[in-house]
Amino acid sequence: MRIDVVTIFPEYLDPLRAALLGRAIERGLIEIGVRDLRDWTQDVHRAVDDAPYGGGPGMVMKPQIWGPALDEVCGDKTRLVVPTPAGRPFTQAMAHEFAAEEHLVFACGRYEGIDQRVIDDAARRMPVDEVSIGDYVLVGGEAAVLVMVEAVVRLLPGVLGNKLSAEQDSFSDGLLEGPSYTRPEVWRELAVPDVLRSGNHALVDRWRRDQALERTARRRPELIDRLPEGSLDKHDLRL
Ligand SMILES: N#Cc1c(-c2ccc3ccn(Cc4ccncc4)c3c2)n[nH]c1N
């Protein structure tokens, strides 16, 4: 997979080259390019924004700059992802969809966002997703791209050390994951649940399922309602 990010703050994306993602790049599992939108400006001030039509606060990013940038960075296999507070919620299911793509381009807006015609024009040539990472307002798209790239790249084969880690994620079965424990057995008078030290894998699996269901019902009850038909067995339903 190749990922390109277009931004006016390329240094904001430096964390993409650290830790797990950095190792995935070194191992050739992914290629990541970060491009400075100002490289496509033609004026001495390298302006990327202008006042909004219809008035109102803030500035809007210019289509004459974004258009040529995306023309150059995007190809015939590109899926364009545009972070925006007005986007569809980014979910684990969407992360899996993105992980199956050959080429992702992330367009990072700033100010009040990117002129809508840039997105509409791109949508004439490629799949475009306007996506939000949550119901709160950021200053630009870069932080959202860091979140989405991490969520997507960790799903790629070979990136995570232990294959099961991705498969047993929160949300992989529609539920939040339950609590995790490691040594020591007792810490500050708090003990690890006995079942986890029983060596009985069936009991451990059952306990973990119960914990996931109870935590989901308590913290995200709407996820229970969204489970596919037949997801809950008779043992689950007794909870
Ligand atoms: N994904 C995502 C986001 C953003 C986001 C993303 C891109 C841009 C570009 C510019 N802004 C600033 C802005 C624009 C319009 N209205 C208010 C603020 C952005 C915010 N905010 N909150 C999220 N969950």
Side-chain angles (χ1 to χ4, degrees), residues 61 82-88 90 107-114 131-145 148:
M61 300 189 92
V82 184
T84 167
R88 285 190 305 130
F90 180 67
C108 293
R110 282 271 159 165
Y111 312 103
E112 291 304 307
I114 302 171
V131 179
S132 168
I133 62 166
D135 292 340
Y136 38 80
V137 181
L138 302 171
V139 179
E142 288 79 6
V145 170
M148 289 192 271

Side-chain angles (χ1 to χ4, degrees), residues 47-223:
V48 294
D49 62 303
D50 200 345
Y53 272 115
M59 304 292 271
V60 176
M61 300 189 92
K62 297 160 68 80
Q64 312 96 307
I65 312 301
W66 270 106
L70 295 181
D71 290 348
E72 183 174 330
V73 175
C74 298
D76 56 10
K77 296 188 184 308
T78 300
R79 183 165 184 169
L80 177 65
V81 182
V82 184
T84 167
R88 285 190 305 130
F90 180 67
T91 62
Q92 188 71 4
M94 199 182 281
H96 279 284
E97 266 188 55
F98 289 174
E101 297 290 343
E102 278 192 47
H103 185 211
L104 293 175
V105 172
F106 289 89
C108 293
R110 282 271 159 165
Y111 312 103
E112 291 304 307
I114 302 171
D115 186 300
Q116 186 62 38
R117 290 169 293 181
V118 173
I119 288 98
D120 297 346
D121 170 62
R124 297 190 289 202
R125 297 188 298 282
M126 69 193 86
V128 179
D129 299 87
E130 293 184 80
V131 179
S132 168
I133 62 166
D135 292 340
Y136 38 80
V137 181
L138 302 171
V139 179
E142 288 79 6
V145 170
L146 289 175
V147 165
M148 289 192 271
V149 169
E150 180 166 312
V152 170
V153 170
R154 69 184 293 278
L155 296 175
L156 299 178
V159 171
L160 282 186
N162 171 353
K163 184 180 180 307
L164 282 179
S165 299
E167 289 181 354
Q168 292 186 333
D169 277 347
S170 267
F171 306 103
S172 60
D173 57 0
L175 299 175
L176 302 182
E177 57 195 5
S180 299
Y181 300 86
T182 187
R183 288 178 293 187
E185 229 174 276
V186 179
W187 178 74
R188 293 188 180 178
E189 298 174 3
L190 298 169
V192 172
D194 291 339
V195 65
L196 296 180
R197 297 185 300 107
S198 68
N200 181 328
H201 295 297
L203 273 182
V204 170
D205 288 346
R206 184 75 262 172
W207 182 85
R208 284 176 168 160
R209 170 77 175 181
D210 290 352
Q211 289 294 310
L213 278 164
E214 285 170 15
R215 177 176 278 189
T216 306
R218 199 165 49 247
R219 297 180 180 175
R220 297 287 303 279
E222 79 281 3
L223 293 180

Side-chain angles (χ1 to χ4, degrees), residues 26-37:
E26 287 161 16
R27 292 165 56 204
L29 298 174
I30 50 168
E31 296 175 324
I32 294 187
V34 178
R35 305 295 301 271
D36 186 341
L37 178 69

